[in-house]
């Protein structure tokens, strides 16, 4: 089963989403969109919780970045967009949490939307 949830819809300032249940998910992908760009950037981050109360920064996002095969996957804490466009990052499939919140941190301007693709 797949669920796609729009967690942020065209926000124009730094915003954190409501908590989304990801308990039992096999795959969680954050799809982020920046629009109405003239300058600045959007920094996308996530916080996770095992109890639904205490949230901590998630620092193991997997990015679609070029690197040497021997280096393995590229792990990041943040996805930064400095132009109009759509990008994504995926949670490590070995990690399991109860909930996640997504934050779009705006610098200067822009419109920010985000979706979570969750596969169970």
């Amino acid at each position: 089963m797949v669920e796609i949830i729009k967690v942020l819809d065209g926000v124009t300032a730094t915003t954190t989403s409501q908590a989304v249940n990801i308990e039992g998910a096999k795959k969680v992908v954050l799809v982020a969109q920046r629009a109405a760009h003239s300058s600045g950037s959007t920094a996308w981050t996530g916080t996770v919780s095992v109890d639904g109360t205490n949230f901590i920064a998630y620092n193991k996002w997997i990015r679609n970045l070029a690197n040497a095969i021997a280096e393995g996957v590229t792990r990041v804490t943040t996805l930064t967009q400095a132009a109009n466009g759509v990008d994504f990052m995926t949670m490590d499939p070995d990690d399991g949490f109860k909930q996640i919140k997504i934050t779009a941190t705006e610098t200067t301007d822009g419109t920010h939307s985000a979706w979570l693709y969750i596969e169970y």
Side-chain angles (χ1 to χ4, degrees):
M1 181 177 105
V2 171
E3 189 174 11
I4 299 172
I5 302 169
K6 192 168 197 177
V7 294
L8 294 174
D9 188 6
V11 299
T12 56
T14 296
T15 307
T16 299
S17 74
Q18 296 293 317
V20 174
N21 183 10
I22 58 170
E23 192 168 19
K26 294 177 186 172
K27 180 185 295 184
V28 178
V29 179
L30 168 64
V31 178
Q33 179 181 37
R34 179 173 169 82
H37 170 83
S38 65
S39 65
S41 63
T42 308
W44 298 95
T45 56
T47 55
V48 292
S49 175
V50 295
D51 61 8
T53 301
N54 300 295
F55 285 81
I56 59 168
Y58 185 71
N59 296 320
K60 289 176 56 182
W61 291 105
I62 298 171
R63 282 294 315 278
N64 184 26
L65 299 173
N67 65 6
I69 292 172
E71 292 176 311
V73 297
T74 301
R75 297 184 189 281
V76 299
T77 60
T78 306
L79 164 64
T80 301
Q81 293 176 296
N84 290 334
V86 178
D87 207 342
F88 73 95
M89 55 188 180
T90 304
M91 290 183 76
D92 187 313
D94 292 332
D95 292 343
F97 297 97
K98 181 179 179 99
Q99 294 181 329
I100 188 168
K101 294 179 184 180
I102 302 301
T103 299
T105 303
E106 176 185 282
T107 302
T108 309
D109 68 9
T111 301
H112 327 286
S113 297
W115 298 261
L116 286 173
Y117 172 97
I118 307 167
E119 184 178 314
Y120 295 97

